[in-house]
Amino acid sequence: MATSATPAAHSPLDQKILEHFPGLVVRKDLTTELKQNAVVPTYVLEYLLGQHCATDDPTLISEGLESVRRILAKHYVHRNQAELVKSTIKERGIHKVIDKLTVELNEKGGFYEVEFTNLGLKKVPIDVDFVKRYPKLLVGGIWAITDVEYELPTDPKASPWQISSVKPIQVAGVDHDEFLKARAQFTTDEWMDVLMQSVGFNPEHFSRRAKLLTLIRLIPYCERNYDLLELGPKGTGKSHIFAEFSPHGMLISGSEVTAPKLFVSNASGKIGLVGYWDCICFDEFAGKDKKVDKTLVDIMKNYMANRTFSRGIEQLSAEASMVFMGNTQKSVAYMLKHSHFYEPLPDKYIDSAFLDRIHAFNPGWEVQPVRHELFCTGYGFVVDYIAEVLKHLRTEDYTGLYKPHFEITSEVSTRDQTGFEKTFSGLMKIIHPDGKAAPEEIAELLEFAMECRRRVREQILRIDDTFKANDFVYRPLAGGHAVTVLTPEERQYPQFAGMRPASSHAAKEVVEPQPSKTGVVQASPNIEIEAAVVPAHTAPHLKPLLQERHVVLPENTKGWSYRRLFGDYLVGASQVTLMDPYIRAFHQIRNLVEFLRMVNELTPAGDEVNVHLITGPETESKEKLEKQVENLSQVQASFAETATPFSFELSTSPNFHARSIRTDTGWKISIDRGLDIFQWFESSAFNAATNLQEARLTKGCEISFIRKADPID
């Protein structure tokens, strides 16, 4: 495909990468293109691309792509072609296959047997030398290029399949001194961009903080026994790095792990995943309905604290880092006002002793949802190369590199200090692998690391009143002001900062801050904010007395908006049901979004108003119905983490004609046109009507406000 082999002109950064890391980089859009046709991990594809396409010559790239496609077509095993591949092996006698291999010990026979994930072969004997050379075959399995032979045995019980060679798909080794020498040719900003491109993202679309929020996910690969928690909305690519980035990491479902699988089987004595992998990521970790083994939680707590676990009376140790990824359902403000950030986790994990062992809490709600334009089209490292670099860095200790420049001046617990020091160490290894950085760069990483640990501690304070609150403060040794580290959410919502469990008397004094004579609310010892001006419609005691009424909206008038018409009647509701059979066309769904925005603006910080739409399905064509559902689903996803969660259903009732807004406070607003009260206008960034409903001409309609005796549930 010529277009793939001929990208836009190289950026200066791309040229620099190619110059200093020849043969170790690959164009990331090639990975994306090939991945559409082969469901294999990124590091498998880039291993092949690194061998055939590590160049900027369009001709060589084109030839290399064809080679990789040929290799994948000839040797990669698709599940639906497994029988064809088996036939090829039988007819030829031997054939190379690219597949994932997992080995188990046949306890009765005393030999090892391999299972091919896609090929479907099971109980194929494998030489013990391969198992000793690649022990990960026993735990989770590895992707490899394998020579498989077929020969009918004389013993009918024996397997006709034999394995003559196994070559794991990973780079042979890394010259670390050469790596550091090449790294020195890049500025800090350039290097962060190189790393962002290497994990597949276009750095131009990320702020510096957004880059740190992404790169912190690499720490478990370069820091031993590092424990990271990230909770956030769906679709932010939380698990991407752990599923695709390194052959030294493993992604498993949080509900599928058991104590024997993770640590050790007392029955067989076989060491579990922690003994073989550098990083274990528990995906979909959140969820109240997940079954959790309390024994597993207890073993995990001990391992995370001491790096040890037991098999009977024997103590074993391991270095695997733990990553916990899960989805949130509520907005940040709602969780701060009504509960805590750990609320989405299974109950058995909402344990202060377990949570206190987390070194950093990465705020996933700050991470952008993954979109097409976020993906990189430039050059980045073959991921297996950077994975080997990070693995080498696990032997280094950078935890104290901030101490020649800064001191911690607040009283923090041992776990707090360990937490932010390990995060700081990991970030230094990733961004400054030679351990050298300017004081201001060290301060940036130290502050970010302290923030991520502070988030762990502040949320524990909300579930356990035996934990002591403390500040996170550091001071430059060269002189200057001490810096108190706060999380962004503490700064944004100081009225909810410092909340403690209901049983804590001290908490009540913090939860209910009083304005001073100067009009300043003291939300915590370190935060001062201007007292908020509370609109009349958000204060219950100032709420206007609402009456039943009937409004006739004249044709061709301006000055009307959803807020002017409906706002006062929606204040105080926690559930709004919108019934409109015609939310189908683009402008109708745009009206819906504007309605949701209006409800969101009326919702006090920390509260939620659920809006549910009942509408009719598009009947003109199947394609238009699919587009309607796609658009409404997009609205639902985009409002999921706001103060206005949105849901919808399609009603096929033949009698569904009336349009109304109903609230759980007892109001029914009957609208003969539904939300479609505005005339067509030219949508332009420079047209006031695009942004102000009051600037639009109206359609004539009538609206009735009726108080119902039976408010919706």
Side-chain angles (χ1 to χ4, degrees):
M1 298 175 64
T3 54
S4 298
T6 311
H10 297 320
S11 70
L13 182 63
D14 285 340
Q15 293 172 355
K16 202 168 184 178
I17 298 171
L18 287 161
E19 177 185 352
H20 295 289
F21 291 96
L24 298 171
V25 296
V26 68
R27 250 182 47 208
K28 293 295 173 173
D29 58 325
L30 302 182
T31 305
T32 304
E33 178 185 319
L34 287 176
K35 197 162 179 60
Q36 295 175 356
N37 300 314
V39 187
V40 295
T42 298
Y43 62 82
V44 174
L45 287 179
E46 294 197 356
Y47 173 84
L48 298 172
L49 287 170
Q51 291 184 322
H52 299 275
C53 300
T55 176
D56 62 341
D57 186 313
T59 302
L60 294 179
I61 287 178
S62 182
E63 293 174 356
L65 272 176
E66 289 307 313
S67 296
V68 173
R69 288 194 183 97
R70 215 165 30 245
I71 291 169
L72 289 172
K74 187 175 180 180
H75 301 292
Y76 171 69
V77 180
H78 293 268
R79 290 177 189 266
N80 59 357
Q81 295 181 337
E83 292 303 318
L84 178 60
V85 175
K86 290 178 190 177
S87 175
T88 301
I89 299 170
K90 175 184 176 297
E91 296 303 323
R92 294 183 179 178
I94 185 170
H95 183 62
K96 289 184 185 295
V97 299
I98 298 175
D99 201 352
K100 187 176 182 181
L101 279 57
T102 308
V103 169
E104 287 188 352
L105 173 65
N106 185 313
E107 297 176 359
K108 293 182 179 180
F111 55 89
Y112 293 97
E113 297 174 324
V114 67
E115 176 180 344
F116 290 77
T117 300
N118 290 344
L119 189 55
L121 293 178
K122 298 181 180 180
K123 300 186 181 301
V124 179
I126 184 171
D127 193 282
V128 67
D129 289 341
F130 292 129
V131 179
K132 289 180 178 179
R133 203 179 310 163
Y134 313 120
K136 286 182 183 176
L137 284 165
L138 293 165
V139 188
I142 61 173
W143 281 86
I145 301 173
T146 308
D147 281 314
V148 184
E149 300 179 0
Y150 181 90
E151 184 178 350
L152 282 174
T154 54
D155 182 356
K157 294 183 179 180
S159 172
W161 307 100
Q162 301 294 327
I163 294 174
S164 57
S165 73
V166 175
K167 183 182 179 183
I169 295 178
Q170 59 188 85
V171 298
V174 171
D175 186 327
H176 194 66
D177 291 335
E178 286 296 318
F179 167 77
L180 293 179
K181 183 179 177 181
R183 160 63 183 96
Q185 306 304 312
F186 295 79
T187 66
T188 299
D189 287 336
E190 286 175 337
W191 187 249
M192 291 177 72
D193 288 353
V194 169
L195 294 171
M196 290 296 292
Q197 292 189 180
S198 295
V199 297
F201 292 121
N202 185 346
E204 293 181 1
H205 295 293
F206 291 78
S207 66
R208 191 175 179 90
R209 176 174 173 82
K211 293 172 187 176
L212 288 176
L213 293 171
T214 301
L215 296 179
I216 192 177
R217 297 168 176 169
L218 298 179
I219 296 180
Y221 292 110
C222 66
E223 194 73 22
R224 293 169 174 164
N225 300 97
Y226 182 75
D227 304 315
L228 174 67
L229 172 66
E230 181 172 342
L231 300 176
K234 294 180 180 179
T236 55
K238 291 187 292 296
S239 60
H240 164 73
I241 284 177
F242 304 101
E244 305 286 326
F245 185 74
S246 171
H248 305 301
M250 186 172 193
L251 180 72
I252 57 178
S253 171
S255 60
E256 291 178 355
V257 70
T258 62
K261 180 179 179 181
L262 189 59
F263 293 104
V264 64
S265 169
N266 287 336
S268 66
K270 187 168 72 172
I271 302 298
L273 300 173
V274 295
Y276 296 91
W277 299 89
D278 291 348
C279 172
I280 300 168
C281 177
F282 300 86
D283 194 21
E284 303 297 337
F285 186 66
K288 291 296 184 185
D289 57 342
K290 286 184 168 56
K291 295 181 180 179
V292 178
D293 181 0
K294 184 64 167 64
T295 303
L296 173 62
V297 180
D298 293 337
I299 298 175
M300 197 178 290
K301 281 192 291 189
N302 185 64
Y303 172 75
M304 291 165 67
N306 307 312
R307 307 181 183 182
T308 61
F309 52 97
S310 62
R311 186 187 72 186
I313 61 173
E314 182 183 5
Q315 287 289 322
L316 303 170
S317 62
E319 298 180 353
S321 296
M322 300 279 196
V323 180
F324 306 96
M325 294 283 178
N327 296 326
T328 53
Q329 304 297 328
K330 303 291 185 180
S331 66
V332 171
Y334 184 93
M335 289 187 285
L336 286 174
K337 181 174 182 178
H338 297 281
S339 57
H340 48 80
F341 291 163
Y342 303 125
E343 180 65 28
L345 301 181
D347 290 338
K348 287 187 175 63
Y349 283 109
I350 305 179
D351 177 333
S352 57
F354 168 78
L355 297 168
D356 197 30
R357 287 153 169 80
I358 300 291
H359 296 120
F361 188 146
N362 200 33
W365 49 83
E366 290 190 43
V367 180
Q368 296 186 64
V370 175
R371 310 186 306 274
H372 177 73
E373 61 266 27
L374 295 183
F375 291 114
C376 173
T377 57
Y379 284 84
F381 291 123
V382 175
V383 291
D384 200 31
Y385 171 74
I386 193 64
E388 292 301 317
V389 169
L390 295 175
K391 183 174 180 65
H392 175 87
L393 287 167
R394 288 173 77 84
T395 61
E396 305 287 346
D397 181 7
Y398 289 179
T399 54
L401 290 185
Y402 70 90
K403 292 181 179 178
H405 305 280
F406 304 96
E407 66 174 344
I408 307 302
T409 58
S410 54
E411 293 185 6
V412 295
S413 70
T414 301
R415 287 216 172 103
D416 286 337
Q417 185 150 355
T418 299
F420 65 69
E421 283 186 347
K422 284 181 76 69
T423 302
F424 169 78
S425 175
L427 290 171
M428 282 292 292
K429 291 177 184 180
I430 293 164
I431 301 173
H432 306 285
D434 60 356
K436 300 173 184 178
E440 60 270 17
E441 294 175 325
I442 291 175
E444 176 189 31
L445 301 187
L446 177 62
E447 188 166 330
F448 182 73
M450 294 178 75
E451 172 210 316
C452 290
R453 174 59 196 183
R454 180 178 174 90
R455 185 173 292 107
V456 174
R457 167 56 64 114
E458 286 298 304
Q459 297 305 306
I460 289 177
L461 295 176
R462 292 168 171 260
I463 64 174
D464 191 336
D465 60 3
T466 65
F467 274 67
K468 178 185 175 183
N470 56 260
D471 291 329
F472 285 61
V473 184
Y474 72 92
R475 182 178 66 84
L477 292 177
H481 296 292
V483 177
T484 299
V485 177
L486 300 173
T487 63
E489 58 269 14
E490 286 179 281
R491 297 182 184 277
Q492 185 176 1
Y493 302 105
Q495 66 271 39
F496 305 138
M499 282 186 165
R500 300 298 301 268
S503 60
S504 171
H505 173 70
K508 297 176 183 177
E509 299 178 353
V510 180
V511 172
E512 301 170 2
Q514 297 298 321
S516 68
K517 293 180 180 179
T518 61
V520 172
V521 175
Q522 188 72 26
S524 78
N526 301 305
I527 310 174
E528 286 192 349
I529 60 165
E530 294 182 3
V533 178
V534 182
H537 61 261
T538 63
H541 60 285
L542 298 176
K543 187 175 179 179
L545 185 61
L546 301 178
Q547 303 287 342
E548 291 190 338
R549 61 188 180 126
H550 184 75
V551 174
V552 177
L553 201 64
E555 180 93 15
N556 245 32
T557 58
K558 294 184 179 181
W560 297 93
S561 68
Y562 292 157
R563 185 160 187 153
R564 177 181 174 185
L565 290 167
F566 313 130
D568 288 339
Y569 291 83
L570 300 180
V571 168
S574 58
Q575 178 72 45
V576 174
T577 299
L578 173 63
M579 303 186 70
D580 188 333
Y582 299 102
I583 305 292
R584 304 177 182 182
F586 175 83
H587 78 279
Q588 293 166 337
I589 296 179
R590 181 196 61 207
N591 290 339
L592 169 66
V593 171
E594 292 183 345
F595 178 81
L596 292 171
R597 183 178 68 185
M598 180 266 296
V599 176
N600 192 278
E601 291 170 351
L602 293 173
T603 305
D607 288 345
E608 278 189 353
V609 179
N610 291 276
V611 178
H612 183 67
L613 168 69
I614 302 174
T615 189
E618 177 63 71
T619 56
E620 188 171 323
S621 68
K622 181 181 178 181
E623 289 74 18
K624 288 192 174 183
L625 173 60
E626 291 174 349
K627 188 63 178 177
Q628 178 192 20
V629 173
E630 177 187 340
N631 289 338
L632 290 173
S633 297
Q634 186 175 340
V635 174
Q636 182 173 10
S638 65
F639 276 85
E641 295 296 319
T642 70
T644 318
F646 168 72
S647 58
F648 69 94
E649 63 178 284
L650 301 182
S651 172
T652 56
S653 171
N655 300 317
F656 182 24
H657 303 292
R659 308 174 197 184
S660 66
I661 301 170
R662 300 169 183 252
T663 73
D664 60 352
T665 53
W667 285 102
K668 175 183 176 181
I669 306 172
S670 179
I671 323 168
D672 58 8
R673 282 190 177 274
L675 297 180
D676 196 8
I677 63 174
F678 300 110
Q679 296 183 29
W680 180 90
F681 59 90
E682 182 182 358
S683 183
S684 162
F686 308 112
N687 186 357
T690 302
N691 303 296
L692 297 174
Q693 291 183 334
E694 291 88 345
R696 303 172 190 171
L697 291 171
T698 60
K699 300 175 181 177
C701 67
E702 298 187 15
I703 306 172
S704 297
F705 298 81
I706 307 163
R707 185 181 292 279
K708 303 288 290 183
D710 53 341
I712 62 173
D713 293 331

